[in-house]
Amino acid sequence: MSLKFSKAFLMSGKDFALTPSITLHHPTIEEILSINGSSFPDYFYWGYVQTLLADPYANMVMLDDMGRNYLDVSPYEVFALQWDHCNTAFSVHDAHPLRHITEAISFFIKEEHCFEKGVYEDGSVCFYDRNNPACQINEEIFGCLHEWVKAVNKIENSDNIRPADENARRILIEDMRDTQKKAGKRKKKQEEGFDYLGSLMSAVSFCGNGSLTPHELGSCKLYWLNEALSIRNKKDYADHLLDGIYHGTINSKEIHKKEMDWIT
């Protein structure tokens, strides 16, 4: 089961009942800003998102260190590896080694669960609620959760580089390794400057007509915020094209009809 979510459903702001015990939650901005009572709640939020995206591309260095080719690994496998890593990397005295992962799951699933890792008879991995073993996250269910997180955040992977051959793949991994090393050295500075969500809120409220006021942002569903800026940018682009056609600086025959259709 591979789910896709229509724009109409995402615009409704509704949660989605995936199974009798798992409802995918569409968060509001206020819910994001309330994470951990932190002064940088959006930093934690994007950590949740990255955990559930479990992108093999973003984790190519970790996979390479494990002798795995990221091109052959699924997000579900990366998620399971992250789970194992948290269980083994923390001290035996750490009472909540999986806290970040379980918080990420809880943020996007409406019901309360206490998941543990298990294995089916065929050797495939699953995660089950120890208080309700019938409630499980297998690869299929995780795929739906993964698509939901991408959809409400309007995330696309179109910028990912597809290496032409093995040499290009090795170069890409080493470049990513160097990038991560440099990022690690300036981690503190990055955390302090990490404010994408705030910039998005400001742009939607104060750029142009201000489709959403700051007072309305708290109850705003996440997809609405992303879509508000996206549709505004598309309309501005279409308006500039029309202006260019009107003044004779752009030939209308050179414009694809889709570029003018800012609604889609």
Side-chain angles (χ1 to χ4, degrees):
M1 177 173 60
S2 178
L3 279 183
K4 297 295 182 182
F5 303 94
S6 72
K7 180 180 289 189
F9 185 81
L10 294 168
M11 283 299 299
S12 75
K14 293 180 178 179
D15 294 342
F16 181 78
L18 181 60
T19 73
S21 54
I22 295 179
T23 302
L24 302 179
H25 178 56
H26 192 159
T28 64
I29 302 304
E30 180 60 35
E31 288 173 326
I32 293 174
L33 297 181
S34 298
I35 293 176
N36 290 341
S38 171
S39 61
F40 284 94
D42 40 335
Y43 179 80
F44 289 97
Y45 172 74
W46 290 116
Y48 293 169
V49 170
Q50 294 303 320
T51 295
L52 296 180
L53 290 181
D55 184 9
Y57 184 91
N59 289 279
M60 64 172 70
V61 172
M62 176 192 76
L63 293 170
D64 186 63
D65 290 342
M66 299 173 66
R68 305 286 299 275
N69 183 339
Y70 78 92
L71 295 172
D72 301 325
V73 179
S74 70
Y76 185 63
E77 290 178 278
V78 172
F79 179 76
L81 288 171
Q82 291 176 338
W83 186 285
D84 292 340
H85 175 74
C86 287
N87 254 339
T88 58
F90 290 90
S91 165
V92 293
H93 301 295
D94 193 328
H96 304 286
L98 296 167
R99 179 175 179 177
H100 182 76
I101 295 180
T102 56
E103 284 182 353
I105 294 173
S106 297
F107 193 78
F108 286 101
I109 291 181
K110 186 175 181 179
E111 297 84 1
E112 292 186 10
H113 298 293
C114 186
F115 287 106
E116 293 186 358
K117 185 179 177 184
V119 180
Y120 292 124
E121 290 183 359
D122 64 0
S124 58
V125 173
C126 74
F127 299 88
Y128 64 94
D129 184 349
R130 68 182 180 189
N131 298 318
N132 178 20
C135 174
Q136 300 177 2
I137 296 179
N138 54 23
E139 186 164 12
E140 187 177 52
I141 296 299
F142 179 82
C144 297
L145 174 59
H146 177 268
E147 288 301 321
W148 177 257
V149 173
K150 287 178 62 177
V152 296
N153 288 282
K154 288 183 70 73
I155 291 174
E156 298 179 1
N157 295 326
S158 57
D159 293 335
N160 287 358
I161 300 172
R162 181 76 182 185
D165 52 34
E166 179 59 19
N167 286 334
R169 187 182 75 88
R170 292 303 320 169
I171 293 173
L172 180 62
I173 290 173
E174 294 310 314
D175 286 346
M176 181 69 79
R177 192 184 300 277
D178 289 341
T179 299
Q180 290 181 354
K181 286 181 179 178
K182 292 177 182 177
K185 293 179 180 179
R186 57 176 186 268
K187 183 177 180 181
K188 183 176 180 180
K189 183 177 180 180
Q190 284 184 330
E191 290 178 5
E192 293 174 350
F194 189 86
D195 210 11
Y196 172 76
L197 183 62
S199 297
L200 186 59
M201 293 164 66
S202 176
V204 169
S205 294
F206 302 124
C207 179
N209 294 327
S211 56
L212 290 167
T213 70
H215 301 292
E216 297 170 323
L217 288 175
S219 59
C220 177
K221 292 290 185 173
L222 181 60
Y223 182 82
W224 300 348
L225 190 66
N226 285 292
E227 182 64 11
L229 186 61
S230 175
I231 201 73
R232 177 73 193 181
N233 288 340
K234 288 180 181 179
K235 188 177 186 303
D236 283 346
Y237 179 69
D239 288 345
H240 286 312
L241 290 179
L242 283 172
D243 187 62
I245 293 172
Y246 178 79
H247 288 93
T249 58
I250 296 177
N251 186 343
S252 61
K253 295 181 180 180
E254 298 177 355
I255 303 300
H256 195 283
K257 183 179 179 181
K258 190 175 182 180
E259 293 182 89
M260 304 298 294
D261 189 6
W262 56 268
I263 295 178
T264 58

